[in-house]
Amino acid sequence: MADHKQLTLWEEMQNKGYSRRDFLKFCAWMGAFIGVESTGVASVVRAMETKKRPAVIWLHLQECTCCSESFIRSSHPIVADIILDNISLDYTETLQAAAGHQAEAAMKKSMKDNWGEYILLVEGSVPTGDDGVYCCIGGQTAEARLKEAAEGAKAVIAWGNCASNGCVQAANPNPTTATPIHKIISGKPLIKVPGCPPIGEVMAGIIVHILAFGTIPQLDGQGRPMAFYGRRVHDTCYRRPNYDAGLFVEEFDDENAKKGYCLYKVGCRGPVTYNACAVTKWNGGTSFPIQAGHGCLGCSEANFWDHGPFYQHLASFPGFGIETTADTIGLGLGVGAAVGIAAHAVITNIRKKDEINEHIETSAVPDRDQEGD
Amino acid sequence: MRKKEIALFRVYVWERPVRIYHWLNALCIVVLCITGYLIGNPIVLQHGGNDASMLYFFGWIRFIHFAAAYVFLINFIVRIYWGFVGNQYSDWKNYFPYSKKHFQNMWDVLMVDILMIKKKDIETAGHNAVANFTYFLTFLAFLLSVVTGFGMYSAMSDNWFSSLFHWVIPFFGGDLILRMIHHVTMWFFVVFTIFHVYLVFYHDYVDGSGVLSSMAGGWKFVTKDKFLRKNQKKPEPAKK
Amino acid sequence: MANRIVIDPVTRIEGHLRVELEVKDGKVVDAFSSGTMVRGIELIVKDRDPRDVWAFVERVCGVCTTVHALASVRSVEDALNWQIPQNAELIRNLMFVTQMMQDHVVHFYHLHALDWVDVVSALSADPVATSNLAQSISSWPKSSPGYFRDLQKRLKGFVDSGQLGIFANGYWGHKAYKLPAEANLMGVAHYLEALEWQKEIVKIHAIFGGKNPHPNYLVGGVACSLNINEVNAINAERLAQVKHLLDDAKVFIEQVYIPDLMAIASFYKDWGAIGGGLENYLAYGDLPTNGYSDVSSFKFPRGIIMGRNLNEVIPVDGKDGEQIKEFISRSYYDYSGGNETGLHPWEGETKLAYSGPKPPYDYLDVDKKYSWLKTPRWKGNPMEVGPLSRMLVGFASGKTEYKEVVTEALTKLDVPVTALFSTLGRTAARGLETRLVANWALEFYDMLITNIKNGDSRTVNQEFRNPDTWPAEAKGVGMTEAPRGALAHWIVIKDKKTANYQLVVPSTWNASPRDANGQRSAYEASLIGTPIADPENPLEVLRTIHSFDPCLACAVH
Ligand code: HEM
Ligand code: HEM
Ligand code: NFV
Ligand code: SF4
Ligand code: SF4
Ligand code: F3S
Ligand SMILES: [Mg+2]
C-alpha cells in the first residue's frame, strides 16, 4: 500500500508551486478545451479540487504502438503535463522505467490499490485463435491479461482501430483471429476511440473530459465519443465546395490535384468515415490526409482494410478482380440482359409464329358491356 | 388446324392510383438511376474559371437525387396502402410467394413463356406468377434502396425523418457497405427495367391482351370462358 | 548450474520481447531472445492491390512509421521498373530524415536514457551546479538555475505524491548508475523537452503525408502536389514551415541531444567494451540524391563489413537468391520444403505453427523453437544492422563526413576505435548519424526549392498507375534504412495482384533466435559476457538490449 495519501489535482498543483490563480486559469482552459460554457467552468474547478489523481493502466496487446505514439504527439494538453500532473500512468510498456517482474509488480500494486477505480486504456486487439498463443506478455495471453485488468477497472478506453475494431491484423484472412476488446470484456463502460491511429489531441481530450467531469463523454450508438466521431470527414472537409461544384481530381498530381480539387474520384473515403480529422486536424492542427493530397482511407471505420482497393470510389467485389466495382458487374449484367433479350425476341418470332397467328386470326371483338373509367 | 372463336372480356385491372403510382415510380427510378450513377461516377468539370463558389453542379445532382428519393418513397407508401384497399389485382397478397400454388404457377410460366419448353395455357388478368414474383423482388429492392439511401442520408441531414434511419449505418456495418449495397440496387433496377419493358412489349405482342396499354388505361383483355372458370363470377364492373 | 533470469515484458521498447538469460558468476553466459506476438501481415496483404499494400505494411509499426510504407512503394516501383519524379524522391527523403531524427531522439531520451539516468537522484542535484554543467556543454538557452530549480520542484512534488506513474519500481539507486545528480537533473529536463520537441518535427509528415503516425504514401511518387500559387497545395507557407522545423531540429540535435550523449557517455566509457556481439555489419543504404536506382548517390552507402574489417566494404544484392535467406529452425513456422532450409524472400513462406509452451508459462523451451521471429542470414552469416552498421559502412566507404563525426566523437571521449563495437558504440552511432541526417535534411530541402524554382513541380509519374500497363508477372525489392537498420520488402506481382510479399526487418536481423548451426543473432550474441550486479534488477541487460532500440512489432509483423 502507498503510505502517501492520494492528493487532489488542486493539492497537487499547490505542491508544485502553482497559485490559485494558475489553477483557475487551468480549469478555465480545460473547460474551454472540452467545450463547456464559461458558466460551467465552476464545476470544472470543483471537479479538479476534489478529484484524486486517477490511476491509469495502459495495456499493450496486439498492436503497432502507433496509438501510444499518437498520444505523445498531443499538443494540448501536452503529454508531459498529463502524465506528471493529471493522471498516474502506472503501467505502459512503452514508457515505463521498470521491466519484467518489476513492471508486473507495479501494475499489480496499482490494480490492488485502486481496485474498482482505475481507468484501463487498451491498445491493440486480442488474438483469440489457438488459445491465444499469438500474443503473450509475461507468459500470459493477451486475453487473460485483458480480462484480469478489466475486472477492477472503472472504465475502459479502447484506443485505436485495433482495440475498437481489430484493425489490420483482423483484415481478411485474419490469421490470428484478432478480436476487438468489446467482444472480450463486458459490464464496464467502454469508450471506443477508433482511428489508425486516433488523433493525439482527441486521445488527450477524452482523458481530459473524464478528469474534469468525472464522467465519460457522450457516446454514439457505436460507443464513440460524439464530440470527435459525430460527423463525417466529408461534412467538415475544406474541399467540400469543390465536391459540390463538381470539381474533382482524376489522377494524382494532375492539373486538378494541383488546384486542390476534391479527391472523391481517386478513392477518398471521407464520405463514409466518421472522424475529426478535418476539424481538429493532425499534429497540432498542421494538416490532415486530404489537405496533403491523399484521400481519406477511412481509418476510423470498422473493417476499412477490407474495403479496398483504396484508389477507387467503391470497394471491389470479393471474388471478382481487384479492378471490379459494382459498375463493371452491373454493366456486364445489363449488356447480358440486352443480348439475352435480343436472342429471346428472335426465337420467339420463330417458335411462336403459329400461336401468334392463331391469336391474331381468331381475335374477336370483346364484349362491349363494360366501360372504361 | 381449325380456328376457334375466342371471346374476350375487357377487364378493368389497374385502377388509377396504381397507374399513377407506376408512371411516377418509373420516372423516379429513371431519375434516381441517372443521378445516382452520376453521384458514384461524377462528371469532372474542368471549367477554366475553377472557382468552386461559382458552381453547384454536383450539389444539384445530389439535390435532385434526394428530392426524387422523397417522391419515390411517398409514392411507394401509397402503393403499399393500395395493396390493402385496391382491387384484387393490386392486392398485396398477390406479390408474396407464400403458397405452393404460386410456386407451381411460377414454374409453369418459366417453362412456357420464357423457355418455351412446355405448352400449356396460362392466363391471368393481373400479373402472371413470375411477374408477381419479380415485382415482389422489386419491392424488396425498393425497400433496400430506401433504407440504405436514408441510412446514408441520416449522416447528412439532421431532419427528423432521416434521423429515424441512424440505426441503419451500424446495422449494415458502416457507410461504405451501405453505399455499395445502395449502388448495387441501381444495377438491379437497370437490369429489371430492361427485362420488364421487353416482357411487357413481348406479352402485348404474343398474348394480344393489351398489357402494354393496360398501364395507361387500366383495361386488359382476357379469354372470357377461362376468365369465368377461374373467377366463378363476373368481372368487376367498372366504377362509373 | 547457471541461474535463469526472465525479462518479460522488456519495456521501453516497441512490442513484445522476452529475454531469457543464463547467468553465472555475475555474468551472462547464454541468452535467448523471443518475440511473443505475431499478426501475419504477410498473409494479409496477399492478393491485395499492390498499390494499396504500403498502407497495410505501414501499420507493421507505429514507432518507425513510414519506413515500411517507403519499402513497399519502392518494391512495387522496382518490380515495374517505375522511376519517380525527383521532387517525389526529395519529399520522401525529407520524410525519411524526419522519421529518423524523431525516432532516434525519442529512443535516446524516452526509451534508453533511464538506463543511464537516475531520476530519483536528480532530486538531490544543485540547480546552480546543474546550470553550470548545462552551460559548459551547450549553448542551449533553457539552462538557467531558475529553470532547473522549477523543474526540480515539480519533480519533487511528483515524487512526494507517492504516485510515481511511469517511474514506479524503476532501478533507482542501482549500483550501475554512475551520473552525478546534476547530470541526472539535466537528463530529466531534456527528457521532458524532447517529449515536446518530437511532436513538432513530425509536423513535416503531416505537411507532406497528412498525419503522423502513419502518413500517406503513393506508389509512383507522392500524393501531395507542389503548387506555389495555390492555397491547397505545398506552397511557400508549407515549405517555410518545413524549413523552420528542420532548422529547429538541427539546433535541438546539436545543442541538446549530442551534448547530452557525449556527457553521459563520458561517465560510462566501460560500456565501450561491453555488448559488442556480432562482428558482421549490414546496411542497404538510402537517401538517394540522384534517384533510387543510382546506389552510388546514396547518403547512406550500401554494403557489408565482415569480421569488423573496416578496410573492405562487400557489396550486397537483395535480388540474388543465394545472399539473403530466412530460416525457421528455431521459429514457430513451417516451410513446405522442410524446416531446415532457408528461403530467399521471393520464395518466402509464412505459415504460423506455434510449438512453444502452453500459456501461462514460466519458461520457454529454448532447446526447441522459441520465437515468432524468423532468422535472416546473409550467405549464412548473422549480421548486425542499425545505426552502428550504417556508420561503419559509411566510415569504411571512406566518406569524409562519416570520418569526421566518428573521429571527433572518439577523440572527445578519448576511447579507441574498437569502442565502436559495443553497447556504447551503438548508442553513440545513433546520435552521430542523427547529426549527419539533420544536415542532409537541409540539403534535400534546398534541392527541392531549386527544382521548384526551375519550374519542375511534378510529384507523380503516371506511367504505371493503371494496372493494365503491368506485365503478367513481376518481382521487386524495396530497400531502405529504417532507424533500426536495413529494411527490405520483397514483392511478387501476378495478374495485378500481390502473389507473395515478404518483409525482412531490421529487428528481425538483430532479435532473431539462433539458426540451425547454433549461430546467435545480434541481441543474443551481444548479451554474452554482460556483467550483472544484481540478478533481481538486471539493468545492465536492458542497456545492451535497448542499445539496439528493439521493435518487435516490426521484427515479427
Ligand atoms: C431506387 C432508387 C435509387 C437508386 C437507383 C439510387 C442510386 C444511387 C446511386 C447509384 C448512388 C451512388 C452511390 C455511390 O456510388 O456512392 C446513390 C447515392 C445516394 N443515394 Fe440513392 N438511389 C436510389 C434511391 C435513394 C433513396 C430512396 C434515397 C433516400 C434518401 C437515396 C439516397 C442516396 C444518398 C444519400 C446517396 C449518397 C449521396 C452522396 O453521398 O452525396 N437514394 N444512389
Ligand atoms: C417504358 C417503360 C415501362 C413500361 C412500358 C411499363 C409497362 C408496364 C406494364 C404494362 C405493367 C403491367 C404489367 C402486367 O400487367 O403484368 C407494368 C407493371 C409494373 N411496372 Fe412497369 N413499365 C415501364 C417501366 C417501369 C419501370 C422503370 C419500373 C420500375 C423499376 C416499373 C415497375 C413496374 C412495377 C413494379 C409493376 C407492377 C405494378 C404493380 O403491380 O403495382 N415499370 N409496367
Ligand atoms: N525494426 C524495426 Fe522498425 C524500425 N526502425 C522497421 O523497419 O521499428 Ni518499429
Ligand atoms: S489502431 Fe492502427 S495505429 Fe493503433 S495500434 Fe492499431 S494499427 Fe497501430
Ligand atoms: S476530398 Fe474527400 S472528404 Fe473532402 S469533399 Fe472530397 S470526397 Fe469529401
Ligand atoms: S484516413 Fe484516417 S486520419 Fe482521418 S482523414 Fe481519414 S480518418
Ligand atoms: Mg517476414
Side-chain angles (χ1 to χ4, degrees):
Chain A
M1 284 296 296
D3 337 308
H4 301 272
K5 104 173 181 40
Q6 294 208 336
L7 303 176
T8 68
L9 279 165
W10 166 225
E11 288 164 330
E12 193 80 18
M13 287 182 79
Q14 277 174 305
N15 276 348
K16 278 173 213 121
Y18 287 100
S19 67
R20 178 75 186 170
R21 205 166 149 265
D22 289 337
F23 174 67
L24 293 178
K25 243 165 65 186
F26 172 74
C27 293
W29 171 84
M30 283 257 235
F33 179 71
I34 43 195
V36 300
E37 292 174 19
S38 53
T39 48
V41 170
S43 71
V44 179
V45 174
R46 218 170 315 114
M48 292 295 179
E49 276 173 338
T50 49
K51 283 269 144 31
K52 305 281 178 200
R53 237 175 89 205
V56 174
I57 288 174
W58 186 313
L59 284 188
H60 296 261
L61 307 176
Q62 202 183 21
E63 64 173 26
C64 81
T65 314
C66 70
C67 297
S68 292
E69 287 284 343
S70 192
F71 182 64
I72 66 171
R73 307 286 192 271
S74 167
S75 52
H76 50 266
I78 63 165
V79 163
D81 291 349
I82 301 182
I83 63 178
L84 291 182
D85 304 340
N86 302 341
I87 61 171
S88 184
L89 186 51
D90 293 341
Y91 185 86
T92 168
E93 285 158 39
T94 311
L95 292 174
Q96 76 190 111
H101 64 260
Q102 278 89 7
E104 300 282 276
M107 172 157 74
K108 292 263 147 67
K109 180 175 183 314
S110 175
M111 281 169 55
K112 193 164 151 263
D113 292 353
N114 304 287
W115 192 256
E117 288 303 318
Y118 60 85
I119 298 168
L120 180 66
L121 313 179
V122 184
E123 178 174 2
S125 57
V126 179
T128 56
D130 297 297
D131 303 321
V133 297
Y134 300 119
C135 180
C136 288
I137 302 123
Q140 260 185 311
T141 63
E143 184 169 355
R145 282 175 87 86
L146 173 62
K147 283 185 169 156
E148 194 180 322
E151 214 186 325
K154 181 174 171 186
V156 183
I157 301 183
W159 284 147
N161 227 320
C162 291
S164 302
N165 299 310
C167 206
V168 66
Q169 54 272 14
N172 192 32
N174 192 353
T176 62
T177 325
T179 309
I181 64 165
H182 66 265
K183 299 207 172 141
I184 310 277
I185 54 177
S186 55
K188 297 281 167 185
L190 181 98
I191 307 172
K192 289 188 199 163
V193 190
C196 188
I199 301 171
E201 285 81 5
V202 165
M203 300 173 79
I206 289 167
I207 290 184
V208 166
H209 184 116
I210 295 175
L211 290 177
F213 297 119
T215 61
I216 62 172
Q218 191 190 349
L219 307 179
D220 69 5
Q222 297 177 58
R224 306 171 298 191
M226 300 276 266
F228 306 111
Y229 298 92
R231 299 264 167 217
R232 299 176 307 160
V233 171
H234 186 62
D235 296 322
T236 46
C237 176
Y238 79 110
R239 296 196 184 199
R240 182 61 183 268
N242 292 301
Y243 170 88
D244 288 332
L247 297 169
F248 298 103
V249 172
E250 289 190 288
E251 277 178 336
F252 287 99
D253 205 37
D254 65 5
E255 270 314 298
N256 292 357
K258 284 198 184 312
K259 288 180 191 151
Y261 287 174
C262 167
L263 297 162
Y264 188 72
K265 287 190 78 120
V266 288
C268 181
R269 299 282 191 264
V272 293
T273 304
Y274 296 77
N275 208 342
C277 304
V279 184
T280 307
K281 298 207 190 170
W282 281 81
N283 306 106
T286 304
S287 187
F288 74 111
I290 290 160
Q291 190 176 345
H294 195 290
C296 168
L297 293 173
C299 82
S300 54
E301 290 292 302
N303 306 323
F304 77 100
W305 294 109
D306 287 329
H307 295 165
F310 294 137
Y311 298 102
Q312 60 188 34
H313 167 58
L314 289 181
S316 66
F317 273 79
F320 292 85
I322 276 171
E323 295 272 86
T324 320
T325 60
D327 287 344
T328 329
I329 298 171
L331 202 63
L333 287 175
V335 170
V339 170
I341 278 168
H344 191 262
V346 171
I347 298 170
T348 309
N349 258 313
I350 298 166
R351 301 257 316 254
K352 290 221 169 174
K353 199 119 203 163
D354 282 353
E355 278 174 64
I356 294 161
N357 286 341
E358 190 178 309
H359 274 251
I360 291 169
E361 284 173 20
T362 58
S363 298
V365 178
D367 298 358
R368 272 276 169 212
D369 59 353
Q370 292 171 20
E371 290 297 322
D373 60 336
Chain B
M1 196 179 167
R2 208 188 70 87
K3 294 176 179 157
K4 63 171 193 282
E5 285 274 306
I6 299 174
L8 290 184
F9 260 152
R10 187 163 178 255
V11 190
Y12 187 57
V13 182
W14 305 122
E15 296 151 290
R16 187 178 280 154
V18 175
R19 295 183 338 254
I20 295 175
Y21 155 75
H22 177 270
W23 292 113
L24 198 53
N25 184 54
L27 179 71
C28 284
I29 296 276
V30 170
V31 170
L32 285 165
C33 283
I34 293 172
T35 51
Y37 183 83
L38 287 175
I39 292 171
N41 306 271
I43 300 167
V44 176
L45 297 183
Q46 312 256 21
H47 284 282
N50 58 42
D51 189 354
S53 64
M54 304 298 286
L55 290 162
Y56 198 66
F57 176 74
F58 202 57
W60 280 114
I61 289 183
R62 292 175 56 248
F63 174 77
I64 295 169
H65 192 80
F66 304 147
Y70 272 106
V71 175
F72 172 82
L73 174 66
I74 294 162
N75 192 37
F76 183 38
I77 292 171
V78 169
R79 177 64 184 87
I80 292 171
Y81 168 74
W82 204 254
F84 291 92
V85 301
N87 69 13
Q88 56 163 312
Y89 306 110
S90 46
D91 194 326
W92 66 273
K93 284 196 230 57
N94 296 337
Y95 299 88
F96 270 99
Y98 56 88
S99 67
K100 215 170 167 183
K101 187 156 158 274
H102 193 131
F103 282 103
Q104 181 59 44
N105 288 346
M106 267 164 61
W107 180 249
D108 289 345
V109 174
L110 272 178
M111 285 310 177
V112 179
D113 254 35
I114 317 287
L115 301 173
M116 306 167 204
I117 294 170
K118 271 204 252 171
K119 249 191 130 127
K120 187 174 172 185
D121 253 343
I122 30 176
E123 191 175 78
T124 35
H127 309 302
N128 69 39
V130 168
N132 264 332
F133 184 66
T134 327
Y135 298 140
F136 171 66
L137 291 183
T138 316
F139 289 145
L140 286 186
F142 289 164
L143 197 68
L144 196 60
S145 53
V146 165
V147 168
T148 53
F150 276 99
M152 284 190 280
Y153 196 59
S154 72
M156 314 170 190
S157 151
D158 287 333
N159 124 346
W160 69 269
F161 183 74
S162 44
S163 303
L164 299 177
F165 292 82
H166 273 317
W167 60 272
V168 174
I169 299 170
F171 182 82
F172 282 91
D175 284 61
L176 189 89
I177 297 178
L178 218 53
R179 214 165 243 269
M180 299 271 292
I181 298 170
H182 190 76
H183 196 108
V184 168
T185 59
M186 173 190 77
W187 286 108
F188 174 85
F189 294 126
V190 170
V191 173
F192 167 84
T193 307
I194 293 171
F195 278 113
H196 172 69
V197 173
Y198 169 70
L199 285 176
V200 169
F201 276 84
Y202 161 83
H203 278 280
D204 197 73
Y205 173 50
V206 172
D207 308 346
S209 59
V211 178
L212 186 51
S213 64
S214 74
M215 238 343 136
W219 296 91
K220 262 192 196 174
F221 302 104
V222 283
T223 323
K224 190 172 179 177
D225 43 341
K226 248 187 270 167
F227 181 87
L228 291 175
R229 212 187 313 137
K230 256 200 178 149
N231 286 269
Q232 310 284 322
K233 61 169 183 166
K234 286 205 80 175
E236 271 175 58
K239 306 159 212 141
K240 262 271 144 110
Chain C
M1 210 206 107
N3 192 9
R4 173 77 65 94
I5 299 181
V6 178
I7 309 179
D8 182 6
V10 175
T11 54
R12 278 182 286 124
I13 63 160
E14 194 295 329
H16 302 299
L17 173 66
R18 176 186 180 97
V19 178
E20 296 197 6
L21 306 149
E22 305 282 345
V23 178
K24 207 173 166 184
D25 306 329
K27 277 203 155 88
V28 175
V29 292
D30 206 353
F32 301 87
S33 149
S34 168
T36 58
M37 187 276 276
V38 62
R39 289 168 293 165
I41 309 270
E42 289 166 342
L43 301 168
I44 290 163
V45 296
K46 210 164 167 274
D47 291 335
R48 310 260 176 190
D49 187 329
R51 294 168 302 170
D52 288 1
V53 170
W54 68 262
F56 288 79
V57 295
E58 185 174 53
R59 270 70 182 181
V60 160
C61 182
V63 174
C64 64
T65 179
T66 79
V67 300
H68 294 286
L70 176 61
S72 181
V73 294
R74 275 189 183 157
S75 73
V76 179
E77 287 156 5
D78 180 59
L80 301 166
N81 204 1
W82 190 353
Q83 314 296 326
I84 63 165
Q86 212 194 354
N87 290 326
E89 197 80 73
L90 290 168
I91 290 173
R92 286 183 185 178
N93 281 357
L94 287 169
M95 292 177 73
F96 177 112
V97 293
T98 298
Q99 153 58 24
M100 191 172 268
M101 290 189 282
Q102 189 268 353
D103 202 352
H104 282 358
V105 168
V106 168
H107 173 260
F108 182 72
Y109 286 102
H110 308 114
L111 307 184
H112 203 14
L114 301 182
D115 297 337
W116 315 99
V117 174
D118 185 334
V119 176
V120 175
S121 129
L123 293 176
S124 53
D126 169 10
V128 178
T130 310
S131 168
N132 288 340
L133 168 69
Q135 287 170 3
S136 74
I137 61 169
S138 161
S139 49
W140 184 243
K142 290 184 168 182
S143 60
S144 68
Y147 177 70
F148 288 114
R149 195 172 297 118
D150 285 350
L151 173 80
Q152 199 179 37
K153 204 168 162 195
R154 188 178 186 194
L155 193 63
K156 210 162 159 6
F158 179 79
V159 172
D160 283 349
S161 76
Q163 289 178 292
L164 284 184
I166 58 171
F167 303 113
N169 248 14
Y171 304 94
W172 321 129
H174 193 288
K175 272 210 282 239
Y177 284 120
K178 300 265 177 61
L179 294 186
E182 285 69 31
N184 285 322
L185 183 58
M186 187 180 75
V188 174
H190 294 165
Y191 180 103
L192 296 177
E193 286 174 42
L195 197 54
E196 278 211 54
W197 171 83
Q198 57 85 30
K199 75 184 195 326
E200 295 303 308
I201 181 68
V202 298
K203 289 180 176 170
I204 294 173
H205 282 180
I207 289 169
F208 292 125
K211 69 198 252 242
N212 171 285
H214 298 331
N216 291 311
Y217 274 70
L218 188 79
V219 177
V222 291
C224 57
S225 285
L226 293 170
N227 184 351
I228 49 171
N229 296 310
E230 172 61 53
V231 68
N232 281 315
I234 303 299
N235 54 25
E237 179 274 329
R238 301 267 91 180
L239 290 166
Q241 193 175 357
V242 172
K243 175 73 163 47
H244 168 76
L245 291 163
L246 292 176
D247 286 338
D248 274 3
K250 187 169 148 67
V251 171
F252 189 86
I253 287 159
E254 286 180 353
Q255 296 189 6
V256 184
Y257 179 16
I258 300 299
D260 282 357
L261 173 67
M262 288 300 151
I264 293 174
S266 66
F267 288 95
Y268 291 103
K269 285 187 203 170
D270 51 331
W271 283 83
I274 300 170
L278 298 179
E279 305 194 337
N280 311 325
Y281 302 91
L282 161 70
Y284 295 149
D286 205 329
L287 294 177
T289 52
N290 184 37
Y292 173 65
S293 50
D294 180 4
V295 178
S296 69
S297 78
F298 287 11
K299 290 285 195 184
F300 281 126
R302 178 177 294 176
I304 279 175
I305 286 167
M306 294 300 286
R308 296 187 181 163
N309 175 8
L310 297 180
N311 298 316
E312 191 191 4
V313 178
I314 302 166
V316 53
D317 181 0
K319 299 187 182 186
D320 179 346
E322 291 310 310
Q323 295 196 11
I324 294 163
K325 287 186 179 177
E326 283 195 302
F327 295 82
I328 53 152
S329 44
R330 308 303 291 276
S331 324
Y332 305 131
Y333 298 90
D334 278 340
Y335 277 171
S336 53
N339 289 351
E340 299 310 311
T341 52
L343 295 178
H344 181 266
W346 274 335
E347 272 78 50
E349 297 175 13
T350 304
K351 184 163 182 284
L352 310 183
Y354 185 75
S355 58
K358 189 175 162 16
Y361 52 79
D362 293 325
Y363 297 102
L364 296 170
D365 291 333
V366 290
D367 307 332
K368 302 187 188 127
K369 294 182 176 229
Y370 61 90
S371 180
W372 280 115
L373 280 76
K374 294 177 187 170
T375 303
R377 290 289 180 256
W378 180 77
K379 294 191 176 171
N381 296 294
M383 311 296 293
E384 173 172 341
V385 299
L388 179 57
S389 301
R390 281 191 289 262
M391 291 307 286
L392 293 175
V393 171
F395 188 90
S397 303
K399 297 217 168 198
T400 42
E401 328 177 65
Y402 287 83
K403 289 230 140 112
E404 276 168 24
V405 289
V406 171
T407 321
E408 189 192 319
L410 292 174
T411 318
K412 233 182 197 163
L413 290 175
D414 188 24
V415 290
V417 181
T418 51
L420 286 171
F421 311 116
S422 69
T423 295
L424 186 68
R426 225 170 266 126
T427 297
R430 188 171 290 109
L432 298 182
E433 78 171 359
T434 313
R435 234 182 113 180
L436 292 179
V437 159
N439 291 328
W440 298 337
L442 293 164
E443 287 179 36
F444 299 141
Y445 178 84
D446 288 342
M447 288 165 81
L448 182 65
I449 296 294
T450 310
N451 262 359
I452 301 173
K453 215 189 261 173
N454 294 339
D456 176 9
S457 69
R458 276 187 346 128
T459 55
V460 179
N461 176 357
Q462 298 292 350
E463 208 175 347
F464 300 105
R465 281 293 304 170
N466 180 355
D468 293 338
T469 59
W470 299 356
E473 190 176 339
K475 288 175 172 183
V477 52
M479 296 174 136
T480 179
E481 283 294 334
R484 290 154 193 77
L487 167 68
H489 292 191
W490 281 260
I491 190 170
V492 180
I493 302 173
K494 275 193 189 135
D495 302 324
K496 306 177 192 175
K497 288 188 193 174
T498 308
N500 195 10
Y501 200 94
Q502 292 285 322
L503 303 82
V504 182
V505 181
S507 295
T508 324
W509 285 97
N510 289 341
S512 39
R514 56 206 63 198
D515 59 30
N517 303 328
Q519 297 186 94
R520 295 185 184 91
S521 298
Y523 286 11
E524 295 182 353
S526 65
L527 284 173
I528 307 295
T530 302
I532 305 274
D534 171 10
E536 279 301 299
N537 292 288
L539 177 62
E540 300 90 337
V541 172
L542 293 177
R543 286 182 177 168
T544 294
I545 290 285
H546 283 152
S547 74
F548 287 96
D549 190 3
C551 177
L552 272 286
C554 270
V556 181
H557 41 271

